[in-house]
Amino acid sequence: MSPSEYSFRLQKGIVGGFAPPTPDYIYTVTKASTNTNLLVASAFRQAGTPQLQDAAPKSLPATDNDALIDELHSILKELPMESPPGSEDIYGLNTSIAWGSEDLEWCNGGPQGCGGGTSEVQATDEQKAQFKRAVDIVNELASK
């Protein structure tokens, strides 16, 4: 069962080099314990432009999405993070997820993306598939 209050963020575009990465899009989903809805914020970058543009925020009934949130929470609890943070995109999807709740703080990709180097922790093929499922869940929620 997922916590009553949480926030998570998906960023497509985390691999950089000398300069930080330029994200293609960012989704942020927030659920406050006092709210019965999920608040979804999105920002997209048009091809050939450097800036993200905010989309209109939306609200989804939390109870309609409990199964997806529970699945996402369960997956992230089991997945490793790269070490040191931001060293390498160990899932190979150029995508990060950051989750924050009372019982779980999880983030891959580091705050400035992945700038090169090798992680001491590597994901197995099964863990990569689980991370892909986590990304699919966030994309599904954001597209509703």
Side-chain angles (χ1 to χ4, degrees):
M1 185 168 147
S2 60
S4 62
E5 185 168 280
Y6 51 86
S7 181
F8 55 90
R9 176 181 184 263
L10 180 142
Q11 176 176 318
K12 176 69 173 175
I14 63 167
V15 177
F18 181 72
T22 304
D24 295 325
Y25 57 86
I26 297 174
Y27 300 135
T28 304
V29 179
T30 304
K31 165 71 172 65
S33 60
T34 57
N35 197 332
T36 59
N37 289 325
L38 301 175
L39 303 177
V40 181
S42 303
F44 301 90
R45 183 175 58 83
Q46 297 292 330
T49 64
Q51 301 296 326
L52 290 168
Q53 300 296 317
D54 290 333
K58 56 187 167 185
S59 182
L60 303 173
T63 54
D64 293 354
N65 297 287
D66 279 346
L68 287 173
I69 299 298
D70 289 345
E71 184 181 359
L72 176 62
H73 183 249
S74 295
I75 289 170
L76 295 178
K77 281 177 121 177
E78 302 301 320
L79 290 179
M81 296 177 280
E82 76 277 356
S83 177
S87 58
E88 180 182 2
D89 178 13
I90 64 172
Y91 295 104
L93 295 177
N94 194 24
T95 303
S96 71
I97 296 177
W99 171 286
S101 63
E102 187 175 301
D103 69 329
L104 178 65
E105 293 291 327
W106 193 95
C107 182
N108 71 305
Q112 295 298 316
C114 294
T118 302
S119 172
E120 297 171 9
V121 175
Q122 295 295 316
T124 65
D125 288 343
E126 181 181 335
Q127 290 167 332
K128 289 177 182 181
Q130 289 174 325
F131 184 76
K132 169 81 169 69
R133 174 62 186 144
V135 169
D136 290 345
I137 290 169
V138 179
N139 285 328
E140 181 178 340
L141 288 167
S143 68
K144 288 188 173 192

